[in-house]
Amino acid sequence: MNIVVGDLETSENNVNMLSVLEASFVIYDDRFQELESFHESARIRPTCVPSLGACLTTGIRTDKLIGANNSSFELAVKIHNTLSKWGSYCTIGQNFIQFDNEALVRMFHKSLIPDIWILKKLPKKMMDTLFLARASKLIDEKSLKCEVSSKGSDLFKLGSLCKMNGIKHENSHSSAGDVQATAELAKLIKGRVPKLWEQGLKIAHKSEAKKFIENNKVISHVAYFYGKARWYGLKFCFYNNYDYARFWDLRVHPKDYLNLNYQDLKKELSKTPKVIRTVKPSKFDIMMDHSYSFKAEPYSKIGESELFNRAKILDKNPNFVELIRTIDNDDIEEKKSMDQTELLPEFRLYKDGFASKKDEETMKLFQKMEWKERAKLFDRWENKKYEWFNKVLLFEERPELLSKGVFKEVREEFSKRLHTTEDVNWHTFPKFAKELTDYGSKFEKEKNDEKLQLLKEYDSYVAEMEKKFPKP
């Protein structure tokens, strides 16, 4: 199967509100021979305040923020067209599943591209070198060399792994440089821990991960927390209302729980360490056959025979498992009912689910139209968030085509968002001002004139932006 390695560089770390500044994707054959590449950059969205931390990390200067060849919308369309053209493949990247793909999906979403889940649809699959690297180290300690933190944890950042394993990482924190380094890391893992790579491909799509769970029932799961990767020997119980797979941790004997009523069982299940564990089939949670965890402590001390005996007890008590499912789903629904927060349109991707057929057809029409025709679509959307995205796209791309009323509506909304002093999940003018002060003090102490000059450039850019979005 062909492999597509991808990476994005962005203006901040909130996937709902960021602006994609660079995008690189390279398609390889199964021997990691390059077939074709895509490297493009975009101007920052005019409604997006850059994070100084993100920009200083990537080294993107303000002339590139405003002078790149593509707008954000144009980049989104180019990426989507390229990924569609390349056919079937498995996408892989460093922390790609949790960040880059989530950012990409939202970029497509706000650009009114109908097929936002392009990388998640069979025959396409998706893996992540971050998860593979952690599991690789757990399976074979010698497979990867890692730096160790002051707390004794292995470090799995791309730059650190490259340094320790002799991988060239030129132009680090550029999307093109990170893609090349990630491809080499993936190739290294494939060569040194082939069983992990083969298993990864077998669970690299939600439907196939579910098949593995349902065919095996008792599995080994790699969980990572407190800076450590750990094996868990688990028995599958059910899928909850989030469509997460819920498992019983076989280190715990179920006999002490079987006769508990709803309230008592709920209380016991809430205690830590958790008896019920979660695997997300759509998020490339690493799962292997039961033998891996059964050889690790504490499961090895319990013994394979006893562990399978515990699994059988759960199979023989379906009413008990059903009670756990009821408790689990009741908790989910309670949390949903308690959260009455009115989400901004940009944050409603999962809340609203799939677009209606009518809105999907309007998106297809939008993509075929000229900008002056797109300005006439506002009243056609069933879901009002798409009407908002339509207006924002015109505001960012062709503001002269908007009526004075719509232009004022969009500008006032962004003025309110960007000037707020509340602790919101996006970058604002006040947050930028604090960053400017903090970094300014730091670079003055270091006598770093080059970085201080960069700060002046960013400050000038944001000052001009503030003029366009006056304080409400």
Side-chain angles (χ1 to χ4, degrees):
M1 187 175 202
N2 286 345
I3 301 292
V4 168
V5 183
D7 184 73
L8 306 177
E9 298 298 335
T10 62
S11 63
E12 62 160 299
N13 59 14
N14 185 283
V15 293
N16 294 292
M17 304 296 267
L18 57 71
S19 188
V20 176
L21 305 177
E22 289 182 359
S24 292
F25 295 89
V26 178
I27 185 166
Y28 301 87
D29 64 18
D30 59 1
R31 295 169 299 164
F32 282 93
Q33 298 297 309
E34 183 176 325
L35 303 175
E36 194 175 339
S37 64
F38 173 95
H39 305 290
E40 294 279 355
S41 58
R43 300 183 291 278
I44 191 170
R45 291 170 43 229
T47 55
C48 186
V49 177
S51 160
L52 273 178
C55 291
L56 289 169
T57 298
T58 59
I60 294 176
R61 302 186 75 103
T62 54
D63 58 349
K64 191 171 182 180
L65 285 181
I66 60 178
N69 291 333
N70 301 296
S71 68
S72 180
F73 174 78
E74 289 166 343
L75 179 61
V77 172
K78 284 184 177 181
I79 294 172
H80 197 276
N81 288 345
T82 299
L83 296 176
S84 300
K85 178 186 70 172
W86 283 349
S88 63
Y89 47 81
C90 180
T91 308
I92 192 168
Q94 182 77 354
N95 200 31
F96 191 89
I97 289 174
Q98 293 180 320
F99 182 76
D100 300 75
N101 185 61
E102 293 296 325
L104 197 62
V105 166
R106 286 160 176 78
M107 186 188 197
F108 294 155
H109 188 222
K110 291 183 287 186
S111 298
L112 298 174
I113 294 172
D115 186 13
I116 64 174
W117 304 106
I118 180 174
L119 295 180
K120 288 276 193 173
K121 291 183 176 179
L122 283 174
K124 294 182 178 70
K125 302 181 180 185
M126 188 178 294
M127 299 199 294
D128 199 304
T129 48
L130 177 60
F131 302 162
L132 289 171
R134 289 169 177 168
S136 174
K137 190 72 172 174
L138 200 56
I139 292 169
D140 181 358
E141 172 68 25
K142 296 179 181 178
S143 62
L144 291 174
K145 295 177 182 178
C146 293
E147 291 182 295
V148 179
S149 73
S150 58
K151 296 181 179 180
S153 302
D154 290 330
L155 299 179
F156 292 98
K157 289 186 176 181
L158 181 60
S160 177
L161 287 170
C162 289
K163 182 175 74 173
M164 295 301 292
N165 293 279
I167 297 171
K168 287 185 178 180
H169 193 192
E170 298 173 350
N171 301 317
S172 63
H173 297 300
S174 71
S175 58
D178 286 354
V179 161
Q180 294 296 329
T182 302
E184 289 298 318
L185 175 61
K187 184 179 178 181
L188 190 69
I189 293 170
K190 180 185 179 183
R192 292 183 179 177
V193 196
K195 287 185 178 179
L196 172 62
W197 183 266
E198 291 164 11
Q199 174 65 4
L201 285 172
K202 290 177 182 176
I203 60 170
H205 187 271
K206 179 180 179 179
S207 63
E208 295 178 336
K210 281 188 165 186
K211 283 180 186 177
F212 177 81
I213 291 169
E214 291 153 16
N215 290 339
N216 289 270
K217 304 296 185 182
V218 177
I219 67 161
S220 298
H221 174 230
V222 179
Y224 186 84
F225 52 90
Y226 301 129
K228 296 284 186 183
R230 297 171 171 83
W231 283 119
Y232 282 86
L234 306 176
K235 168 67 173 74
F236 174 60
C237 294
F238 56 86
Y239 295 108
N240 67 14
N241 286 355
Y242 286 139
D243 210 20
Y244 297 162
R246 299 286 269 163
F247 290 80
W248 185 274
D249 187 347
L250 291 172
R251 77 178 68 199
V252 179
H253 202 302
K255 63 180 174 60
D256 297 327
Y257 296 77
L258 292 175
N259 297 318
L260 296 178
N261 62 31
Y262 180 101
Q263 290 298 337
D264 289 340
L265 182 57
K266 181 177 181 178
K267 182 179 179 180
E268 289 301 313
L269 295 180
S270 67
K271 293 179 179 178
T272 54
K274 298 293 185 182
V275 179
I276 303 298
R277 311 224 34 108
T278 301
V279 172
K280 300 177 182 179
S282 64
K283 298 296 185 181
F284 193 59
D285 274 354
I286 300 292
M287 297 177 284
M288 307 290 286
D289 71 62
H290 69 270
S291 66
Y292 288 87
S293 59
F294 282 17
K295 292 174 184 175
E297 291 188 7
Y299 306 99
S300 59
K301 291 183 177 180
I302 298 170
E304 183 171 313
S305 177
E306 172 60 20
L307 291 166
F308 274 116
N309 179 56
R310 294 177 182 186
K312 287 177 183 177
I313 290 173
L314 291 166
D315 283 334
K316 291 177 181 178
N317 288 273
N319 290 339
F320 172 66
V321 174
E322 187 58 34
L323 181 57
I324 297 173
R325 187 208 301 262
T326 300
I327 291 170
D328 204 30
N329 287 331
D330 285 352
D331 283 345
I332 291 171
E333 296 310 313
E334 183 180 352
K335 288 174 183 175
K336 286 181 179 178
S337 66
M338 290 174 63
D339 184 10
Q340 300 298 323
T341 307
E342 184 61 36
L343 296 175
L344 294 172
E346 291 85 351
F347 288 79
R348 297 190 64 87
L349 173 65
Y350 292 113
K351 183 84 171 178
D352 291 346
F354 295 106
S356 67
K357 282 291 182 184
K358 181 181 177 183
D359 282 345
E360 194 173 317
E361 290 303 314
T362 305
M363 289 178 197
K364 292 176 182 177
L365 187 63
F366 180 92
Q367 296 301 325
K368 295 176 183 177
M369 286 178 160
E370 298 293 329
W371 282 107
K372 63 180 179 181
E373 297 301 318
R374 290 167 175 163
K376 301 174 183 177
L377 292 177
F378 300 152
D379 295 332
R380 292 188 60 142
W381 303 100
E382 287 187 335
N383 189 321
K384 292 299 179 184
K385 75 175 177 185
Y386 297 124
E387 177 186 346
W388 170 249
F389 294 160
N390 194 161
K391 290 176 179 177
V392 173
L393 283 170
L394 266 294
F395 182 87
E396 292 182 341
E397 301 280 336
R398 297 290 188 276
E400 70 278 4
L401 296 176
L402 289 174
S403 67
K404 289 183 179 179
V406 173
F407 181 89
K408 182 181 178 183
E409 173 196 349
V410 177
R411 186 178 65 173
E412 287 183 351
E413 172 62 22
F414 278 105
S415 292
K416 182 173 70 174
R417 293 185 190 182
L418 298 178
H419 282 282
T420 183
T421 55
E422 294 179 12
D423 185 21
V424 291
N425 293 323
W426 61 87
H427 222 58
T428 62
F429 293 135
K431 285 183 180 180
F432 177 87
K434 185 178 186 309
E435 273 192 311
L436 190 67
T437 300
D438 292 344
Y439 278 112
S441 298
K442 179 178 183 290
F443 296 147
E444 282 175 3
K445 287 179 182 178
E446 295 172 355
K447 297 182 179 180
N448 191 329
D449 292 336
E450 183 181 351
K451 291 290 178 68
L452 287 169
Q453 179 56 38
L454 268 177
L455 293 187
K456 287 182 180 179
E457 291 178 15
Y458 289 124
D459 187 28
S460 177
Y461 169 78
V462 173
E464 287 300 312
M465 186 179 176
E466 286 191 75
K467 294 177 184 177
K468 298 174 184 176
F469 295 97
K471 195 170 184 177

